[in-house]
Amino acid sequence: MFDRDLFPVDPWRLIETRYPAEKSGVAETLFTVGNGYLGLRGNHIEGRAAHEHGTFINGFHETWPIRHAEQAFGFAEVGQTIVNAPDAKVMRVYVDDEPLSFDEADVREYSRVLDFRTGVLSRDVLWVTPSGKRVRMRDERFVSFSERHLAVLRLEITVENADAPVTISSQIINRQDGEDVYGGAPGPAAGFDPRRTERIAERVLQPVEYWQSDLRSALSFRTTESGMTLAVVADHVMVTDNDYSARRLVEPDIAKNVFRVQAKAGVPIQLTKLVSYHSSRGAPARELVDRARRSLDRVLVEGVDAQFEAQIDWLEAFWERSDVRIVGHDDLQQATRWCLLQLAQAAARADGAGVSAKGVSGSGYSGHYFWDTEIYVLPFLSYTSPLWARNALRARVLMLPAARRRAAMLNEAGALFPWRTINGEEASAYYAAGTAQYHINADVSFALGKYVRATGDEEFMRREGVDIAVETARMWATLGFWRAGGGVETFHIHGVTGPDEYTTVVNDNLFTNVMARYNLRFAARVVTELQEECPEDYAAMVERLSLGEDEADGWERAAEAMYIPFSPALGIHPQDALFLEREVWDLESTPPEKRPLLLHYHPLVIYRFQVLKQADVVLALFLQGNHFTEAEKLADFEYYDPLTTGDSTLSAVVQSILAAEVGYQDLARTYFEESLFVDLGDLHHNAADGVHVASAGGVWTALVSGFGGMRDHRGELSFDPRLPADWPELAFPLQWRGSQLTVSITREQIRVEVIEGDAVAFTVRGVAHTAAVGAPAEVPLSHQGPLIPGRPRIADFADARRDDGTLMSASVPVTTTSLPILGEF
């Protein structure tokens, strides 16, 4: 799964022991450094062969017209794609005028390390030139967490055994319109894969201002269609006892600062490159250049070493409030910490922008923000770094005007958040699996509620969050409809797609209905509490949103009457009203070369079967677990798990959590490790396109909520642990309403300690406890939950019949030239 010769186990570092001649794109992703605003992919400083020479800025994008084969009213019209920003990583080295090129050079030693405690990516190389000169090189880089717009690169070179002329060509290159002479022109990626970004043929970055002064270079651009602006300014600090000279070159798409050094044997050369990026949706490029200059001026006054020290201090605080410890398993610990670092690199300095599916690590999914953030990333942020969670939610607040326009276009009241976007407008060209995912509204409200429960930030709710709650509830109130029968009125939602993209545009999707019910109740409660507790804020909200007197009551009535489908014959909750009418896809008999299904079968083929891209009902069982019984959770999990392909990286974490809860402990461990190595092991064969940020967030949830058994239903903190048999201890910090906790779980007890803040009340398996500073709670555990061996199988449902008495069968779609093999199950 994970090449341990290439990447040895180290609990605090990711180490690469040899140059990755193959799968270099995966290594570029794994060794990305970023801070949520700026990301530098793990490209080598030589700037030659690469999967993607990547420098990405959160939210910096180009727009383009979506051309539908058949247009219809309300289809998304404008696409958005993240722009690969000018590359300042390049620092080419020449000795005796011979370049270091890994495909030809005699490299005797090689090591590349991403240190989780410092955030610094370093590479050590011993290169022997054809004339026998031993050249030792070390290059380091990091993107600052404390200085949002700053990247620092440092190169040290020593010719150990001879004098030699050494040249360092430090460059900024605009590659967006095509690779430079070393890389060739970027062509379309091999094979069909809708997860990859679009290529824009026309020139995107239009040069505005470019200049050089002393050792400082500046380039600035404006995007052709979106009108966004960008500036990058780089400065250099040379430290050496060798004689050297410097020259420079600047053109619209490239700036070079070239240092010629007469290196003496054993005398080191150190060149530090300070780079500042600024971007804007409205400010002129010249103003951004001035901002970047000021950023570098401040850094030079503070000193370069101070930036390294600030990075270490920042990460020390991050790990203190975020580190999850898996005692006795350094391999799992290493992978877990890598995932947690990716969350920091994707969200820490997003500062009101969204957290995209790939963070700032690659161009996959076009740099779009999805509902993944709210469900899989926001919990980690809310419980460890609440300010980051608030900033991510503010991104949704800023999208409300566009969401209101989208709702109106689809004949609904309130607001409808886009399924995928950068600028707030819907960018999904395929409405069936995109716009129809109305559940995004409930997901955003759910994340808002979780954030407020965890932090107690009522001020944010009163000022901004209430607008999200009200406008999303309004959409459900008009999208749904009432139906009477048998003396009972029920509320239904038709024509939607749930999280499972292998089943689209259905009626009464269970996940959607369950989450919409939460959304409606949440909005009604928020409005009622605001009226009772903060009448002035309530009055301002009523005026701002034109809230009717009886709207909240209507939401409550709709929530109480929400239709929740259930099959008495099978004893499960159908994924939607007609899901059980479909035939069952026999995944166990599907050839591996036909996976993932979306790359080998037309959507219409997939839509005809009971088969899931990702957990749908199971996700509802976790998020709204207090509304389902233990027996219902077990029955639903056992039915849906064999139907779930895991073609989505969002699936394994949720399946792990529910497997642990209902008793499939070994299966929970299996699913957890799948999610843990999604990128490190390139399990979905697309890690080269960037980090799967939501999966990384799900790893935290699988540990804390799955094995740790933590829940916060109705705002009550509770634990019901499920510690794997061979784990001596699981420990993690939590922030709960301003108090800092540490939780440690062994097979014999759970210990909750308040490090700072007020006393915290919680329950363990229904029994109330309290922990306070200096008075930790130690609760004995008699077991780790139920234990069920193996895993659910399709064959377990042999002779299963639908509610109408018809027998279900399982099969694999085949071509018309072959005869289908049907088998009852």
Side-chain angles (χ1 to χ4, degrees):
M1 185 188 328
F2 190 40
D3 186 345
R4 284 303 182 182
D5 290 329
L6 179 60
F7 300 110
V9 173
D10 186 305
W12 279 106
R13 300 184 300 168
L14 181 65
I15 304 170
E16 181 182 66
T17 59
R18 64 180 182 274
Y19 179 75
E22 298 179 357
K23 301 191 78 171
S24 63
V26 175
E28 291 167 19
T29 293
L30 300 186
F31 289 103
T32 293
V33 290
N35 65 4
Y37 170 74
L38 171 64
L40 308 181
R41 277 176 66 81
N43 307 117
H44 293 274
I45 61 172
E46 291 72 35
R48 289 180 170 83
H51 174 82
E52 182 175 34
H53 291 283
T55 299
F56 297 101
I57 295 175
N58 192 346
F60 185 67
H61 69 279
E62 178 63 307
T63 56
W64 45 276
I66 297 176
R67 294 180 173 88
H68 300 275
E70 297 184 16
Q71 183 70 43
F73 178 81
F75 279 13
E77 297 178 349
V78 179
Q80 305 141 43
T81 300
I82 194 168
V83 174
N84 199 334
D87 184 3
K89 298 187 296 293
V90 178
M91 300 174 76
R92 293 185 174 126
V93 176
Y94 304 80
V95 177
D96 289 334
D97 293 325
E98 294 293 330
L100 172 60
S101 179
F102 280 94
D103 55 349
E104 299 175 355
D106 181 5
V107 176
R108 303 287 178 87
E109 297 176 13
Y110 173 94
S111 175
R112 186 160 58 157
V113 177
L114 176 60
D115 192 318
F116 308 152
R117 285 171 292 198
T118 66
V120 174
L121 173 64
S122 61
R123 186 191 66 172
D124 290 276
V125 172
L126 176 60
W127 167 35
V128 179
T129 70
S131 62
K133 293 171 182 173
R134 294 170 58 88
V135 183
R136 191 167 295 278
M137 296 173 48
R138 177 178 177 84
D139 63 86
E140 300 175 305
R141 77 176 65 144
F142 68 89
V143 176
S144 174
F145 286 109
S146 55
E147 293 286 343
R148 185 177 189 238
H149 300 276
L150 176 67
V152 178
L153 300 94
R154 175 178 282 174
L155 172 63
E156 297 181 2
I157 303 171
T158 304
V159 183
E160 295 183 333
N161 62 343
D163 296 350
V166 174
T167 300
I168 304 171
S169 179
S170 177
Q171 304 179 13
I172 307 173
I173 306 173
N174 172 30
R175 284 197 180 95
Q176 197 282 327
D177 303 295
E179 301 289 347
D180 65 0
V181 295
Y182 295 97
F192 163 75
D193 191 338
R195 299 168 294 187
R196 295 195 178 106
T197 190
E198 303 85 1
R199 293 287 188 186
I200 301 176
E202 297 78 12
R203 183 176 177 96
V204 171
L205 294 177
Q206 304 294 339
V208 178
E209 177 180 336
Y210 53 96
W211 52 258
Q212 289 180 316
S213 175
D214 295 328
L215 301 183
R216 184 171 287 190
S217 298
L219 299 179
S220 66
F221 301 87
R222 183 182 184 276
T223 56
T224 303
E225 298 297 333
S226 71
M228 294 194 70
T229 49
L230 166 74
V232 52
V233 179
D235 209 341
H236 300 81
V237 178
M238 173 66 83
V239 178
T240 183
D241 289 332
N242 296 297
D243 293 332
Y244 72 92
S245 63
R247 63 182 178 85
R248 64 195 188 207
L249 166 73
V250 65
E251 296 175 353
D253 288 318
I254 189 168
K256 294 183 179 181
N257 288 88
V258 181
F259 299 86
R260 295 173 171 175
V261 185
Q262 300 302 315
K264 299 296 183 181
V267 180
I269 306 161
Q270 183 189 85
L271 178 64
T272 301
K273 186 176 188 178
L274 305 170
V275 188
S276 180
Y277 286 85
H278 282 260
S279 61
S280 174
R281 296 188 182 184
R286 175 163 293 183
E287 179 181 331
L288 299 187
V289 171
D290 290 341
R291 294 180 190 177
R293 293 172 68 177
R294 290 195 295 269
S295 296
L296 295 184
D297 289 343
R298 183 171 62 254
V299 170
L300 289 171
V301 169
E302 295 171 352
V304 175
D305 290 342
Q307 309 310 313
F308 280 85
E309 293 167 4
Q311 187 82 342
I312 294 171
D313 291 344
W314 191 98
L315 278 163
E316 182 179 3
F318 168 76
W319 289 116
E320 184 177 344
R321 66 178 186 272
S322 308
D323 190 25
V324 180
R325 293 188 298 108
I326 305 172
V327 175
H329 294 273
D330 282 353
D331 56 339
L332 303 182
Q333 186 70 78
Q334 177 189 40
T336 296
R337 286 183 174 135
W338 182 87
C339 288
L340 297 180
L341 180 63
Q342 301 317 304
L343 294 170
Q345 294 193 151
R349 299 310 307 271
D351 290 11
V355 179
S356 77
K358 296 296 185 182
V360 285
S361 67
S363 62
Y365 298 114
S366 303
H368 289 163
Y369 317 135
F370 293 79
W371 65 283
D372 313 8
T373 299
E374 280 74 26
I375 296 301
Y376 294 92
V377 178
L378 260 294
F380 167 76
L381 303 184
S382 296
Y383 284 107
T384 62
S385 301
L387 179 60
W388 304 358
R390 180 178 174 134
N391 285 338
L393 288 168
R394 288 210 73 251
R396 291 299 188 183
V397 173
L398 296 173
M399 289 182 191
L400 271 173
R404 292 185 179 106
R405 292 192 298 270
R406 187 64 177 160
M409 182 172 287
L410 272 68
N411 285 21
E412 308 301 341
L416 175 59
F417 286 104
W419 180 62
R420 60 187 300 172
T421 190
I422 297 177
N423 62 13
E425 303 289 344
E426 178 63 78
S428 174
Y430 185 49
Y431 76 89
T435 297
Q437 292 202 39
Y438 288 82
H439 66 84
I440 178 68
N441 265 25
D443 304 333
V444 173
S445 276
F446 181 83
L448 172 63
K450 180 175 282 290
Y451 165 75
V452 174
R453 286 197 303 272
T455 65
D457 189 357
E458 299 293 345
E459 185 266 344
F460 177 74
M461 177 63 78
R462 293 193 304 269
R463 292 183 62 252
E464 298 180 295
V466 64
D467 290 32
I468 289 178
V470 168
E471 296 288 49
T472 53
R474 281 174 163 169
M475 192 282 298
W476 295 118
T478 57
L479 178 65
F481 64 94
W482 292 89
R483 179 162 290 174
V488 178
E489 277 194 316
T490 49
F491 193 76
H492 297 257
I493 299 172
H494 284 187
V496 300
T497 297
D500 170 34
E501 296 160 30
Y502 284 175
T503 313
T504 65
V505 193
V506 299
N507 296 341
D508 289 319
N509 169 255
L510 179 103
F511 179 88
T512 302
N513 285 18
V514 167
M515 294 297 286
R517 179 175 64 182
Y518 166 86
N519 195 165
L520 290 162
R521 285 174 172 164
F522 173 66
R525 187 179 74 250
V526 167
V527 167
T528 300
E529 291 178 355
L530 190 64
Q531 183 178 20
E532 294 174 351
E533 300 171 9
C534 305
E536 292 184 2
D537 290 323
Y538 173 78
M541 180 272 295
V542 168
E543 182 177 358
R544 183 171 67 249
L545 302 180
S546 301
L547 183 72
E549 288 187 13
D550 59 350
E551 278 196 77
D553 291 339
W555 302 335
E556 191 66 52
R557 287 196 303 272
E560 290 301 316
M562 185 68 70
Y563 177 71
I564 305 298
F566 186 78
S567 167
L570 294 173
I572 65 164
H573 294 90
Q575 184 169 295
D576 59 72
L578 296 178
F579 186 80
L580 299 182
E581 297 299 311
R582 300 176 176 88
E583 292 305 301
V584 176
W585 192 305
D586 187 354
L587 287 176
E588 294 179 12
S589 301
T590 302
E593 61 270 18
K594 289 292 188 179
R595 308 281 286 269
L597 303 187
L598 80 163
L599 299 186
H600 301 281
Y601 296 92
H602 190 285
L604 287 176
V605 176
I606 298 173
Y607 295 164
R608 295 186 184 110
F609 285 81
Q610 293 186 44
V611 64
L612 282 65
K613 183 182 179 186
Q614 65 195 63
D616 193 304
V617 171
V618 171
L619 180 56
L621 299 177
F622 167 53
L623 298 181
Q624 290 288 278
N626 53 318
H627 295 286
F628 297 91
T629 66
E630 293 180 6
E632 288 173 338
K633 292 178 186 179
L634 177 60
D636 285 345
F637 180 82
E638 290 183 330
Y639 187 83
Y640 288 105
D641 191 69
L643 303 180
T644 305
T645 63
D647 289 349
S648 168
T649 59
L650 301 180
S651 203
V653 290
V654 177
Q655 289 168 279
S656 175
I657 293 168
L658 256 294
E661 181 176 351
V662 302
Y664 285 94
Q665 306 287 0
D666 291 339
L667 182 58
R669 171 75 176 270
T670 298
Y671 278 137
F672 168 71
E673 293 193 15
E674 284 183 18
S675 63
L676 190 60
F677 290 96
V678 157
D679 289 317
L680 291 167
D682 193 23
L683 301 187
H684 289 249
H685 309 295
N686 64 346
D689 299 326
V691 173
H692 291 84
V693 174
S695 180
V699 164
W700 181 88
T701 305
L703 286 165
V704 172
S705 296
F707 301 132
M710 189 272 283
R711 299 290 188 275
D712 64 350
H713 297 311
R714 299 188 182 93
E716 298 174 357
L717 189 62
S718 65
F719 298 92
D720 188 0
R722 301 286 191 268
L723 192 69
D726 63 339
W727 289 16
E729 183 182 2
L730 173 68
F732 50 87
L734 284 178
Q735 292 196 32
W736 179 254
R737 296 177 184 170
S739 295
Q740 179 67 53
L741 319 178
T742 58
V743 180
S744 60
I745 299 167
T746 65
R747 302 197 67 77
E748 291 75 30
Q749 73 168 17
I750 178 172
R751 185 177 192 272
V752 179
E753 181 178 4
V754 177
I755 305 300
E756 183 180 352
D758 297 334
V760 173
F762 62 95
T763 63
V764 176
R765 296 175 180 163
V767 179
H769 301 275
T770 301
V773 174
E778 297 181 347
V779 183
L781 298 173
S782 59
H783 60 85
Q784 292 293 328
L787 292 174
I788 304 175
R791 66 185 304 162
R793 306 284 297 274
I794 287 178
D796 296 339
F797 289 85
D799 302 322
R801 294 182 181 273
R802 301 178 178 88
D803 290 334
D804 62 5
T806 57
L807 189 66
M808 290 194 292
S809 60
S811 63
V812 179
V814 294
T815 62
T816 56
T817 57
S818 303
L819 293 176
I821 300 175
L822 301 178
E824 294 182 357
F825 83 105

